[in-house]
Structures are given as C-alpha cells and as structure tokens.
Amino acid sequence: MRFLINYALIGGTGVEHLELDGKRAQTIQTPYGLVEVEVGSIANQEIAFVKRHGAGHAVPPHLVNYRGNIWAIKELGVKKILATAAVGSLSTEYRLGELVLLDQFLDFTKTRIQTFFEGGTQGVLHVDLTEPYCKDLQKTILTAGKQNEIVVKTDATYVCTEGPRFETPAEIRMFQMLGGHLVGMTSVPEVVLAREQGMCYASIGMVTNEAAGIADHPLTHAEVMDSMKMLSTTVAQLISDSLKLLTPVQHCSCVKGNEELGKF
Ligand code: HPA
C-alpha cells in the first residue's frame, strides 16, 4: 500500500536538481506507460517530484508524457501541483530573471493530446478553463513570496508553442498582438490535464530570455539554461516557502474539473 501524497512539483528546465529530504524513487504504472517519480519532503511536506523532461533533459517539450505524468501524480493522491516553466518574455512588463505566475494561456501547440477522455467508454469532457491556473494556489505562492521578500509578478498570458524550435520574430509579433506576455513550450496540455483530474495547478514562470526578435542576439538553449541556474535558488526557496503554507483542502472549484463527465 502507498501513502497518499498531497502535493506535487513538476519541474522543468533548471529545477531538475531540487533536493528532497528522504528521497526515494518510485515507478508508477499508468495507461500511458511507466512514469518515474521522486518522493520525499521539502519543508517537512511530503511531495512527489516529476521531472518533466526526464533525467538529463532527454525528452523535448513536444514528446513529454503529459498524460502519464499527471496520471501518476493523481494516482499518488495529490491535490495540488506546483509547476515551474522556463519562459521567454514578449513584454517589457516581465523582465529577464523575474518570477511570474501564469494567469491565462494561448495555445499554439499542434500535436499533443489534451484530454484523458477520448470518447467511447472513457466519455467526453469539455473542461472549463475560465481560470486555467488555480487562484487559491497562486494566492498561497504570492503570500509566501511576500513573507520572504521574493518578488513574484502576476497576470501574465502565456503562449504555448509546439517547439522544440524557438519562434521567429514574426511569430513573436503576432503573439504580442494577441495579448501574449510570455512564451514557453510546456504548460499546455499539463494545466488542462491537471484540471481534468480535479487537481489545483499553478505555474511559476521563470523569465530566462527576451523572445526572438526582441533580444539583440540569436536565442540559444545555453542562454535559457544559464538564466535558469541563476534563478534556481530563488525558485527553490519560493517553492519551499509555499509548501510551508499549503493545506491539502481544496476550497476552489478545481476539484470539480470533471464533474460533467458522463452527464451528456
Ligand atoms: N520560447 C519558447 N520557449 C522558451 C523560451 C522562448 O523564448 N524561453 C524559454 N522557454
């Protein structure tokens, strides 16, 4: 028998090395294949840590096993997910080296399955994403930031691209016109699948670069990694401070994410 774990961390580029106390590896069987999860504690809270890109950043954004990862986390009993995401900035409101909570998304992915419910016996679900990222969980992160003098910005619209390539400057100008502030490659469908499973999900964007055409130089993965390294201590602190304040009770409506399943 497994103990239930209330919280999960999905870490992307740069936070793969976050240290958990009493860390042990678990392999979870899911309908989408085996998923490796680290279980241990941060700030005395037991958490499940999923490395989005696998060990050694081996899996590119368009091939991440999003459904497997979310299924495995749900299987462990998780109620609330903290995620991190490397992002490029399209806006002078969000600068290199800042931490920003994602608020809305524009989806420009192309090949990713965005649902657990593919019809037939699984049913069909049109999940509500009026507030894609959990407001309650964001409040906790903001409180933790304030208490510990970590600046966390808000209200960013995230553009999710398919990747793994970076964008063209023309695409970035289009995203700006559409109201995008940040660009990354991983938050969709992760946030959607978490809602389908009734879990709270918030994502801390880590601004690693100015987007293509805004920066005065070509983009490189090395630049993104260097920025992540710079931000990794602060984001680890913010995660730890947030976990100290979290309770497993879900007062929000995220838990009702799939209540319409089977009703039509
Ligand atoms: N574009 C897409 N994904 C990213 C970027 C970017 O500029 N920076 C970090 N992840």
Side-chain angles (χ1 to χ4, degrees):
M1 199 189 84
R2 276 197 205 111
F3 292 105
L4 294 186
I5 296 170
N6 292 316
Y7 311 114
L9 174 64
I10 306 182
T13 318
V15 291
E16 290 95 344
H17 307 297
L18 213 74
E19 275 311 311
L20 272 59
D21 295 326
K23 180 172 79 180
R24 60 239 181 245
Q26 281 197 11
T27 305
I28 316 278
Q29 189 145 20
T30 80
Y32 311 98
L34 297 177
V35 174
E36 302 292 332
V37 178
E38 279 181 3
V39 175
S41 59
I42 294 180
N44 286 325
Q45 299 269 38
E46 189 86 334
I47 70 157
F49 181 25
V50 173
K51 295 175 186 182
R52 188 184 286 125
H53 299 284
H57 203 90
V59 186
H62 65 298
L63 296 179
V64 168
N65 186 1
Y66 294 101
R67 289 197 293 183
N69 290 348
I70 294 294
W71 187 284
I73 286 170
K74 180 71 180 179
E75 186 84 3
L76 290 169
V78 166
K79 306 278 187 292
K80 300 186 177 181
I81 303 172
L82 298 172
T84 63
V87 291
S89 174
L90 322 184
S91 160
T92 50
E93 285 167 60
Y94 305 105
R95 303 277 189 182
L96 179 64
E98 291 183 333
L99 301 181
V100 189
L101 293 181
L102 309 188
D103 179 57
Q104 289 284 319
F105 68 72
L106 294 167
D107 178 16
F108 281 84
T109 64
K110 295 179 176 134
T111 64
R112 308 174 188 187
I113 298 173
Q114 304 218 357
T115 184
F116 289 107
F117 306 105
E118 296 191 276
T121 53
Q122 294 171 356
V124 173
L125 177 67
H126 300 291
V127 73
D128 173 56
L129 291 173
T130 306
E131 289 181 345
Y133 300 90
C134 175
K135 290 282 180 210
D136 271 10
L137 193 46
Q138 293 191 47
K139 231 181 264 169
T140 305
I141 298 169
L142 288 172
T143 305
K146 276 202 192 96
Q147 286 176 357
N148 298 283
E149 294 178 13
I150 299 172
V151 177
V152 184
K153 290 196 166 174
T154 55
D155 298 319
T157 296
Y158 171 97
V159 181
C160 197
T161 61
E162 180 69 6
R165 66 170 176 84
F166 287 117
E167 300 70 39
T168 64
E171 287 171 326
I172 293 298
R173 283 195 297 276
M174 173 180 74
F175 296 150
Q176 285 172 322
M177 282 184 233
L178 295 176
H181 300 115
L182 304 172
V183 60
M185 303 177 193
T186 54
S187 197
V188 184
E190 203 168 82
V191 59
V192 180
L193 296 168
R195 179 64 54 80
E196 279 198 350
Q197 293 294 348
M199 294 182 282
C200 298
Y201 179 102
S203 182
I204 306 167
M206 304 162 73
V207 184
T208 55
N209 59 285
E210 292 179 311
I214 298 176
D216 59 4
H217 52 271
L219 302 188
T220 61
H221 185 59
E223 176 187 355
V224 171
M225 292 304 281
D226 286 348
S227 303
M228 291 299 283
K229 250 179 238 151
M230 207 177 67
L231 275 166
S232 60
T233 320
T234 316
V235 87
Q237 189 62 47
L238 183 62
I239 288 164
S240 162
D241 294 335
S242 301
L243 282 167
K244 279 181 206 155
L245 300 180
L246 277 183
T247 62
V249 185
Q250 292 174 283
H251 294 292
C252 52
S253 56
C254 300
V255 73
K256 298 187 199 148
N258 57 21
E259 73 175 0
E260 279 196 318
L261 185 67
K263 292 198 179 152
F264 49 89

